[in-house]
Every structure is written in structure tokens, then in C-alpha cells.
Amino acid sequence: MADPATIMAGVGMGASALGGIMGAQGARAQGAAASQMGMFQAGVAQMNARIARQNAEYADYQGEKQAQTYGMGAAQRMGHIKAGQGASGLDVNSGSAKDVQASQSVVTTMDMNQIRENAAKAAFDYRVQASSFDMEAVGDMFGAANARTAARINANASI
């Protein structure tokens, strides 16, 4: 009959080998899950970057539309100024009447530039946000690749 100590040693070695195999499988599964999560997070970050870029384009578009709308209103105001001056018997093409028109034109230009600058700032902020999301996606992809590498190393170490 076999020595009980030899039998127990064999059982212990078998259990240890089985534990190593199970540990390797667990490490691989854990690495695969971490990698998939990293790739998912990268995809979300890439989608967020696309949305931020679209928001930047929309901010540019909206700013220009607002400036155009404001410009049309300003042209109407200029017409009212000239009509009022003419109705008062003033020469609308000289003197203080012309100075009033010139100052109105300067104010209109300043206001339209401010509208465009505000839109440009909003668009810039969205572009910065998009860049941040792009970098986040790159980091997530590196994390996913590192998770796979770590899984192989841990699986080999378990065996």
C-alpha cells in the first residue's frame, strides 16, 4: 500500500497545479474584461469628441447667424435715423447728421464683432473639450492594451 504522506503530497501537488490553471484562466478573463471596458470607454470618449466638434461648428454657425440678424436690425435702425433726420429738414449727408450715422455704424460694427467673438469663444471651448476627449480615448485604448498584456503576464505567473 502507498504511503499516506506520498498520497497527500500528490494530492497537494495536483491541487496546486489545478489552482495555478484556474488562476491563469481567471487572470485571462479579468484582463479581457478590463480590456473590453477600456475599449468601450475609448468609444464613449470618441463619441463625446465628435459631439463637442459638432457643438463647435454649431456655435460658429449660430454666432454668424446672430451677427447677420443683428446687422439687419442695425440697417433698419440706420434707416430710421436717416428718415428722422430728413423729416427734420436736416441734410442727411453732411454735418452732425452724418456724424450721428457714422457713430451708429461704429456701434453696430462693435456689437457684431462682439457677437462673433462670443461665438468664437464658445466654439473654441468645444474644440478644447473635443481634444480632451480625444486624449481620454487614447488613454483608454492604452489601458485596454495594457490590461491584455497584464493578463498574459499574470496568467503565466499563475502557471
Side-chain angles (χ1 to χ4, degrees):
M1 184 138 181
D3 180 25
T6 304
I7 294 172
M8 290 304 290
V11 169
M13 286 179 16
S16 179
L18 183 61
I21 292 169
M22 296 296 284
Q25 288 176 339
R28 284 189 189 109
Q30 183 180 16
S35 177
Q36 288 173 349
M37 179 56 78
M39 293 306 290
F40 172 77
Q41 289 170 334
V44 169
Q46 289 169 337
M47 183 179 297
N48 287 337
R50 281 191 296 274
I51 291 168
R53 282 190 195 85
Q54 289 172 346
N55 287 341
E57 289 175 23
Y58 182 71
D60 284 334
Y61 172 78
Q62 281 298 104
E64 191 54 38
K65 291 296 283 179
Q66 288 173 358
Q68 288 174 359
T69 300
Y70 183 85
M72 286 188 279
Q76 285 180 329
R77 285 188 295 280
M78 184 63 81
H80 289 302
I81 288 170
K82 283 184 179 182
Q85 290 171 339
S88 297
L90 298 173
D91 179 5
V92 297
N93 295 318
S94 65
S96 63
K98 191 70 171 170
D99 292 341
V100 169
Q101 295 168 32
S103 67
Q104 178 61 37
S105 179
V106 168
V107 169
T108 296
T109 300
M110 289 171 52
D111 288 346
M112 288 175 66
N113 287 341
Q114 187 64 54
I115 290 168
R116 288 183 176 113
E117 287 175 18
N118 291 344
K121 171 67 169 95
F124 174 79
D125 290 345
Y126 283 122
R127 287 183 181 98
V128 168
Q129 186 182 45
S131 295
S132 176
F133 284 130
D134 285 336
M135 294 309 297
E136 181 181 335
V138 168
D140 290 338
M141 286 188 275
F142 277 129
N146 288 341
R148 287 189 299 270
T149 301
R152 284 191 298 273
I153 291 169
N154 290 338
N156 291 339
S158 292
I159 294 173

